[in-house]
């Protein structure tokens, strides 16, 4: 048994299911999915469809490239996800202040460039009204988050003052956090700092409302914790001692993964690497707090790139490909023992994909976390692991695909024909049912305690709806569902599948 899916009161089954759908992908007339009415409508759909879980990508602020896995802060929320209609309901905006704006976005795509230019001026109006007469809850929020919020607000104000440039390009006193320089900046940019703090209050006020709505409707939220943080982040700027940096505060080596059957040169992520020895000396305090905070934001936490805790791939700074990297030992169970000692057992899913070795398997077993199985990998001749459904243990989470994979119909369109033929024969897929429905059915029918499908697969979408193609820039993270996509008919069809395969929520 494992924590996220323990039987609850009045329950006789542990088999459950969920849908992977990022907030940005929800319909909206304002350029991007938010925490407003469409999010609640999606919760209603999940509840009607017999789904217990809604899985999201990281909800932190995105930087260059728009990836939620490259954020300015591991603790902050993404301002783009703040719903403008809800701000108007709270008296912080007037409808004409945002409904008249041309968000320059098609219904099925996010235009991040326009959001960068036009969203923050609207939020400044709301923040100004909030700060003119702040509620008591605002002071409570700032006090409860003082371990990260002041540094984050200062960091963002300084980025604005430097034209968006990375902190590594700031003048030395600020780059090195000279106390006098920081105090001077706090005074000089006090108004901007107040704005960035107010934005975070607005974000988490709406987030708490959405999460409460989901939980009240029997839907639990799975959130995502990226193993690494961005080089241009307040996390690195405020805690350089926790990372492998040289005397000029530049990464000595950077993160990525080695060449494999999917990429001849590997993946060059560029994140700075942790100084695990330094972190061990204070009991991994930064990691303990990170898991504590994110576990309070979500109901269940998925830890991305779990294999990096057993051994991580280090690439020399300045390398143009990942081919010249080397494997180095990670903290292993020492880290998770520290987490358990400080926080008790948390509800965690381990993303144990990629190049798996015995030390990774041992770490997964010792942690007790469920690992992941991806159905698309089961039939990919380039994949060395075994992801065929007949090999699954109960103690795992099966996905049709993740945000880094093609939607199922995209996979059938682009995969090697021999791999497609293997999947069709193994799963007995038929055009009448729809190959994508047959693949999802295989996930639901498996013994895995939890089965998660992409929203794109429920909608029968293909390559055009892919969320991310790793190691590429441009066109990623943009897909959005069209208004009215998640129909009552689709909910009924999905609910029937849950009945057939014993995956209805345990509270029903």
């Amino acid at each position: 048994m494992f924590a996220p899916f323990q039987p609850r009161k009045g329950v006789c089954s542990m088999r459950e299911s969920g849908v992977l759908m990022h907030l940005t992908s929800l319909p909206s007339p304002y350029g991007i999915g938010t925490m407003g009415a469409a999010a609640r409508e999606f919760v209603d759909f999940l509840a009607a469809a017999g789904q217990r879980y809604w899985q999201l990508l990281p909800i932190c602020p995105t930087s260059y490239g728009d990836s939620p896995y490259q954020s300015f802060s591991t603790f902050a929320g993404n301002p783009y996800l703040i719903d403008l209609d809800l701000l108007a309901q709270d008296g912080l905006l007037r409808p004409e202040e945002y409904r008249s704006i041309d968000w320059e976005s098609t219904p099925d795509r996010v235009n991040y460039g326009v959001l960068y230019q036009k969203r923050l001026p609207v939020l400044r109006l709301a923040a100004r009204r909030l700060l003119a007469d702040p509620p008591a809850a605002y002071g409570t929020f700032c006090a409860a988050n003082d371990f990260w919020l002041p540094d984050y607000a200062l960091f963002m104000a300084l980025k604005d003052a430097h034209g968006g440039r990375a902190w590594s390009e700031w003048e030395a006193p600020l780059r090195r956090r000279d106390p006098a320089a920081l105090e001077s900046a706090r005074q000089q940019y006090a108004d901007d700092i107040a704005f960035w703090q107010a934005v975070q209050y607005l974000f988490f006020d709406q987030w708490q409302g959405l999460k409460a709505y989901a939980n009240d409707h029997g839907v639990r939220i799975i959130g995502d914790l990226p193993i690494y943080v961005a080089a241009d982040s307040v996390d690195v700027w405020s805690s350089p001692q926790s990372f492998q940096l040289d005397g000029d505060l530049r990464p000595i080596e950077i993160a990525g993964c080695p060449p494999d059957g999917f990429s001849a040169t590997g993946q060059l992520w560029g994140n700075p690497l942790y100084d695990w020895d330094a972190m061990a000396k204070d009991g991994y305090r930064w990691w303990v707090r990170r898991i504590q905070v994110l576990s309070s934001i979500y109901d269940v936490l998925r830890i991305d790139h779990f294999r990096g805790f057993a051994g991580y791939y280090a690439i020399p700074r300045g390398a143009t490909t990942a081919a010249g990297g080397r494997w180095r030992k990670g903290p292993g169970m020492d880290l998770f023992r520290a987490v358990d000692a400080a926080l008790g057992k948390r509800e965690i899913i381990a993303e144990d994909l990629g190049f798996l070795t015995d030390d990774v398997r041992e770490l997964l077993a010792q942690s007790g976390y469920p690992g992941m199985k991806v159905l698309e990998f089961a039939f990919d001749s380039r994949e060395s692991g075994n992801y065929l459904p007949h090999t699954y243990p109960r103690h795992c989470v099966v996905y049709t695909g993740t945000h880094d994979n093609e939607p199922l119909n995209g996979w059938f369109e682009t995969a090697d024909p021999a791999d497609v033929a293997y999947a069709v024969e193994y799963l007995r897929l038929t055009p009448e049912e729809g190959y994508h429905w047959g693949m999802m059915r295989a996930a639901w029918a498996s013994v895995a305690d939890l089965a998660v499908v992409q929203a794109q697969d429920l909608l029968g979408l293909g390559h055009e709806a892919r969320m991310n193609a790793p190691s590429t820039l441009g066109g990623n993270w943009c897909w959005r569902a069209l208004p009215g996509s998640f129909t009552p008919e689709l909910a009924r069809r999905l609910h029937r599948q849950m009945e057939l395969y014993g995956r209805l929520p345990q509270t029903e």
Side-chain angles (χ1 to χ4, degrees), residues 27 41 459 481-490:
E41 290 171 4
L459 301 178
L482 294 175
S485 294
F486 299 99
T487 63
E489 292 76 19
L490 180 59

Side-chain angles (χ1 to χ4, degrees), residues 68-147:
Y69 294 88
Q70 296 284 349
S71 174
F72 292 135
S73 168
T74 193
F75 296 114
N78 188 341
Y80 296 159
L81 303 179
I82 296 173
D83 185 74
L84 304 182
D85 287 332
L86 288 180
L87 294 182
Q89 290 178 23
D90 291 338
L92 298 176
L93 285 178
R94 291 189 287 269
E96 64 269 18
E97 291 173 332
Y98 60 94
R99 291 182 182 173
S100 61
I101 294 174
D102 180 5
W103 296 104
E104 301 177 44
S105 178
T106 57
D108 63 342
R109 306 294 287 175
V110 177
N111 187 331
Y112 286 100
V114 169
L115 289 172
Y116 178 76
Q117 296 170 356
K118 300 183 179 182
R119 200 68 160 214
L120 292 182
V122 175
L123 292 178
R124 286 186 183 276
L125 296 174
R128 191 176 303 130
R129 291 173 181 132
L130 172 77
L131 295 171
D133 186 20
Y138 176 70
T140 301
F141 170 80
C142 291
N145 294 279
D146 65 352
F147 62 93

Side-chain angles (χ1 to χ4, degrees), residues 45 49 51 444 458 490-498:
F45 168 82
Q51 303 302 294
W444 298 321
L458 288 175
L490 180 59
R492 286 192 289 271
R493 182 176 184 183
L494 186 51
H495 191 280
R496 178 55 181 158
Q497 295 297 308
M498 300 306 101

Side-chain angles (χ1 to χ4, degrees), residues 80 102 199 206 320 327 365 419 433 445 461:
Y80 296 159
D102 180 5
V199 163
Q206 291 193 4
T320 57
W327 287 101
D419 294 346
E433 178 186 26
L461 301 177

Side-chain angles (χ1 to χ4, degrees), residues 302-482:
R302 188 197 85 127
I303 298 183
D304 189 54
H305 197 60
F306 188 77
R307 74 101 50 242
F309 297 105
Y312 60 93
Y313 195 65
I315 305 162
R317 184 187 71 230
T320 57
T321 76
R326 58 175 177 162
W327 287 101
R328 301 177 66 181
K329 185 175 175 57
M333 271 305 296
D334 285 348
L335 169 62
F336 295 104
R337 278 192 285 266
V339 170
D340 289 348
L343 308 178
K345 280 292 184 183
R346 293 293 162 132
E347 301 192 44
I348 289 173
I349 297 168
E351 188 268 283
D352 59 334
L353 308 175
F355 178 63
L356 301 186
T357 49
D358 287 343
D359 58 342
V360 182
R361 299 183 184 95
E362 181 179 357
L363 176 61
L364 183 68
Q366 290 180 342
S367 72
Y369 304 145
M372 287 176 52
K373 306 294 182 183
V374 177
L375 265 178
E376 287 184 11
F377 291 167
F379 307 103
D380 195 316
S381 54
R382 299 169 297 175
E383 174 58 56
S384 59
N386 189 349
Y387 295 97
L388 288 167
H390 72 263
T391 69
Y392 293 171
R394 287 184 58 190
H395 187 60
C396 75
V397 183
V398 58
Y399 292 78
T400 48
T402 74
H403 61 278
D404 284 335
N405 304 125
E406 289 276 7
L408 289 175
N409 279 342
W411 183 83
F412 284 112
E413 295 164 5
T414 59
D416 186 299
D419 294 346
V420 171
Y422 181 27
V424 169
E425 182 178 7
Y426 180 97
L427 298 175
R428 299 189 177 186
L429 305 178
T430 66
E432 292 75 21
E433 178 186 26
Y435 283 0
H436 61 295
W437 273 97
M439 198 91 142
M440 290 189 291
R441 179 170 44 76
W444 298 321
S446 76
V447 299
D449 285 331
L450 176 61
V452 178
V453 302
Q454 290 195 86
Q456 296 96 311
D457 296 336
L458 288 175
L459 301 178
L461 301 177
H463 175 75
E464 75 286 352
R466 181 169 184 165
M467 197 64 170
N468 180 52
S471 297
T472 66
L473 284 176
N476 294 318
W477 318 109
C478 295
W479 174 74
R480 283 200 295 162
L482 294 175

Side-chain angles (χ1 to χ4, degrees), residues 71-75 155 229-230 233-240 242-243 286:
S71 174
F72 292 135
S73 168
T74 193
F75 296 114
F155 177 83
V229 298
S233 68
V234 64
D235 307 293
V236 182
W237 177 63
S238 64
S239 301
S242 297
F243 299 86
W286 186 87

